[in-house]
Structure formats: structure tokens, C-alpha cells
DNA sequence: GGAAAAAGATGATGTAGGTTAAGAAATTAA
DNA sequence: TTAATTTCTTAACCTACATCATCTTTTTCC
């Protein structure tokens, strides 16, 4: 069952009767992405939330100098979308790209709205999901303001241990908010010392 | 009617029947805070969401050097809480303080949960509220990574025009993520040039 | 209304992290 | 399996912003 990971994830927050599960599943589509394939490009309107079942996506923006800044990674069991664009249905600023061959489950904005009405429990599920995301984002703002790059890196290692080994360093550097060059220096400094 | 501002705010997202309004109002408490009064202190468990009707609050953290970092301001018509602590009911890291004499409406975590069950529409209301907050916080992360302090200040001016005149410069500096000294210099530079 | 406290301005100097450049190592793709 | 591409490292130099210290102005509050 390809939807097991998602259903299991949901069951942590709400209980679905089997007919509700069926309705839900009827709204889902599967999609495979090749490494480097763009799932959503800057300037597009985001029409889907994506739930990753295999592989990994990254959401990033490009600034006026052409530098990329990673807003989020989405390994298996995570959702990703351009929230701004998804909500407003206006062109977004995020590019979402596969870092490796990746499999996702899609839920369209329109179907998500239907779901809220047909099975109000989903309103609760997504509220909780977004609450948790908000807390994580607020913590990241605080960390960015009050910690050094090295401290932020250590926190990243603790919080996302699985990503450390799989992601290219430059992606982590970009998420942390430093250049790959500085990130490299920082890491070799960390190795030499404690 | 002291709850008008809040009811009006809610009516932008969901429609409440008058009996539902009554139930909702029965859960609310009013509170007045004096300038500099602490509404929530670091290390406390956050038991209430606060909706500001008059004055202004700020939520901030204190880092290991004793420096403060403003996560959010709450002028009238805004909610504020330590979301992490409110959700987890664990000790929080935010201090929430009145920047001037302020009036707020309180909704306890427990009553909010009751509300979700008794009037499911509130699940929708708070979902939308939190979605918008998440988008704003994500944009702030991106801005912090990709813009200079000056650019962030200009965005702040556009986004919160009313706050510019009322807030002490050092509070805005702290929100922007710079020291008051640098903020002062930056501003005088902006005045001299365009 | 006036003393005390807080906020703001400004100068000199320090530093975390950026930039540029160039070579080495690892991955990819054919 | 190898050429091409991407990633990583290291070094020299640079800059946005921090720190510290002192002074002026504004606000607070009795």
C-alpha cells in the first residue's frame, strides 16, 4: 500500500473510519520525480501539497544576486509546499526541487478544501501540522538572531541527524544561512577542536 | 461592547450564529496590563492566547549574553502567545511584555480546546490564523537570509506603518536583527540619502 | 516641573562571516 | 571507465554589522 506512510502519519493526530480513509485516498495522486527535477518553480501558483514517501525535496528562494536560500527540506514523512502561494493562489517565490529520485503523494488545494468540509477532522489534522511548523519556524528565527553559525549547525545536526549524511554540505550551509566556503571552514574547525 | 474588535476580526473568516457568539464570549476574560508589565515570563507554561484590543505587546527571548531578540509585536487586532509552550504545555522561552498600557482578551488553552469541539468552525478560524502566521514567519526567515538590514527595515516600514511611529527604535532594531547603535546609524544614512 | 531613567546619536575599533580564486576530491552520466 | 560536472577545501583579503564608550535628547513618573 503506497499510502501507508501517510495514513500512519495522520493516525497520530486523528482517527479515520475506513470509509473516511477511502474518501481521503480517492483524492490522492502519486508522482515520481527524478533527481534535480523541479516540482514547483518560482513564479508558479502552487496547486498541491506534497507528502514525501521516498527521497528528499528542498524548497528554496533565489535572491537578486542569484544566491539560493533553503527554506526547508522534505525527507520522507514530511509535507512541503509554497504555503504563501498555496493559500493565496498567487505566484509564489519558492522553487521546490528533488535532491534525489523522489516519490511524493499529492493533495490538491481544491481537494484539501473539499476534505475540510466532508471530513472536518482534517481541519484539525492540518491545524496541528501547521501549528508545529509555525513553532519550528519561530524557533529558527530566534536561532538565526541569537546564535552563531556554529551553534546553528550543531542544532541542525541534532534535529535532523538523518539529513546530515545524505545532504550535500552546501545545502546545509544554505539552510543554516552561511556560504559553503564558510561552512567548510567552520566544520574543519569543529573537527580539529571538540 | 469590549469584544467587538475580536468578533469583527473573527467574522472575516467564519460566520458565527448569535448563540455561538454567546458561547464564545462566555470563554473570554478581559485583562489590563500596565506599561512594562510582564504578561508571560520565560520559563512559565503559557496557558492563554491573548488578543490585543488596545496598546501593544512584544514577545522576546533573552540569549546567553543577556541580549533580547524580539520575535513579535502585537498591536490591536493581533493575537500573541508562546506558541511552543501553549501547544506543548511545557515551560516556554518567550517573555511577553506590555510596551505601553494595554488591554487584552484572554482565551485559555483549555477553553480553546473546548471551543474546537463545541463549535468546529473555530478549528477553521485558528487554522487560517496560524496559516497566515506561518507564511509571515517563513517570509521573515527568507528575508533574514537574503536581505541587508536596510532592506529589512524598509520592508518593516511598509508592512507595519503604524508601529514605526509608536515603537522605540531599539525594539524595531531588535526585531530586524541588528543592534540599536547600528540601527541608528543606518537610519541617519537613509535620511541623508534617499 | 524637574530629577532620574531610558532612548538615541556618533566615533573608534573589532570580528563573524563573505568574496574571490584556484586546486583537489567526489559524483555523475554516458 | 572515463570525461564532465559538481562539490569541497584552503588561502588572502574584504565588509556589514557588533562592541565599547561617551554624549545628547527624550521620556517617565513622582
Amino acid at each position: 500500500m503506497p499510502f501507508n506512510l501517510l495514513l500512519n502519519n495522520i493516525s497520530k493526530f486523528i482517527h479515520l473510519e475506513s470509509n473516511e480513509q477511502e474518501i481521503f485516498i480517492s483524492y490522492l495522486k502519486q508522482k515520481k520525480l527524478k533527481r534535480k527535477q523541479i516540482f514547483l518553480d518560482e513564479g508558479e501558483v502552487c496547486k498541491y501539497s506534497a507528502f514525501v514517501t521516498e527521497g528528499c525535496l528542498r524548497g528554496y528562494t533565489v535572491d537578486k544576486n542569484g544566491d539560493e536560500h533553503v527554506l526547508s527540506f522534505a525527507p520522507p514523512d514530511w509535507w512541503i509546499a509554497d504555503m504563501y502561494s498555496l493559500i493565496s493562489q498567487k505566484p509564489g517565490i519558492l522553487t521546490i526541487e528533488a535532491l534525489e529520485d523522489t516519490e511524493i503523494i499529492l493533495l490538491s488545494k481544491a481537494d484539501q478544501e473539499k476534505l475540510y468540509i466532508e471530513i472536518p477532522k482534517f481541519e484539525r489534522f492540518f491545524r496541528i501540522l501547521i501549528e508545529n511548523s509555525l513553532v519550528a519556524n519561530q524557533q529558527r528565527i530566534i536561532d538565526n538572531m541569537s546564535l552563531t553559525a556554529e551553534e546553528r549547525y550543531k542544532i541542525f545536526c541534532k534535529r535532523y541527524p538523518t539529513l546530515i549524511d545524505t545532504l550535500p554540505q552546501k545545502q546545509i550551509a544554505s539552510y543554516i544561512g552561511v556560504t559553503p566556503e564558510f561552512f567548510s571552514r567552520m566544520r574543519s574547525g569543529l573537527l580539529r577542536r571538540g
Side-chain angles (χ1 to χ4, degrees), chain A:
Chain A
M1 237 302 234
F3 299 128
N4 268 345
L5 188 66
L6 176 50
L7 291 172
N8 193 49
N9 177 299
I10 290 174
S11 74
K12 289 171 194 159
F13 302 102
I14 56 172
H15 173 75
L16 293 179
E17 306 301 332
S18 60
N19 65 315
E20 293 171 331
Q21 274 203 17
E22 275 169 44
I23 294 173
F24 176 53
I25 288 175
S26 76
Y27 287 140
L28 303 177
K29 292 172 223 166
Q30 287 179 80
K31 184 163 188 178
K32 296 191 180 197
L33 300 167
K34 283 279 170 206
R35 182 182 139 81
K36 293 201 179 172
Q37 191 177 338
I38 301 294
F39 166 62
L40 179 74
D41 215 341
E42 186 186 350
E44 284 181 33
V45 172
C46 181
K47 300 213 173 301
Y48 297 91
S49 301
F51 178 85
V52 176
T53 54
E54 235 185 282
C56 189
L57 300 180
R58 70 190 256 254
Y60 66 93
T61 59
V62 181
D63 69 22
K64 59 173 190 272
N65 304 319
D67 293 327
E68 296 177 0
H69 303 276
V70 173
L71 179 63
S72 65
F73 297 114
D77 216 29
W78 288 57
W79 291 88
I80 192 168
D82 181 327
M83 279 299 290
Y84 163 75
S85 176
L86 189 72
I87 291 172
S88 66
Q89 289 295 291
K90 293 181 192 162
I93 54 167
L94 271 197
T95 301
I96 299 177
E97 177 211 46
L99 287 167
E100 44 189 290
D101 291 358
T102 296
E103 294 184 27
I104 57 182
I105 298 171
L106 296 179
L107 175 63
S108 77
K109 158 95 171 172
D111 289 342
Q112 190 167 348
E113 297 288 351
K114 280 190 217 158
L115 214 47
Y116 287 150
I117 290 163
E118 292 173 37
I119 311 174
K121 272 181 268 190
F122 272 96
E123 194 111 48
R124 161 168 294 241
F125 171 69
F126 283 105
R127 172 182 59 80
I128 293 171
L129 204 70
I130 292 164
E131 272 178 0
N132 291 332
S133 182
L134 175 60
V135 167
N137 278 272
Q138 287 186 338
Q139 188 60 54
R140 188 167 168 202
I141 290 171
I142 292 167
D143 290 348
N144 285 343
M145 293 199 292
S146 52
L147 302 178
T148 63
E150 201 169 301
E151 290 167 322
R152 277 178 270 140
Y153 173 56
K154 283 181 183 164
I155 286 174
F156 185 92
C157 293
K158 264 187 210 156
R159 189 136 42 197
Y160 307 104
T162 54
L163 293 178
I164 294 295
D165 309 315
T166 50
L167 291 177
Q169 284 183 197
K170 59 181 292 202
Q171 301 301 344
I172 301 175
S174 171
Y175 181 96
I176 299 290
V178 296
T179 56
E181 294 89 343
F182 182 76
F183 187 80
S184 172
R185 253 182 293 173
M186 197 181 76
R187 259 178 43 100
S188 71
L190 271 177
L191 290 178
R192 235 174 284 121
R193 312 180 335 250

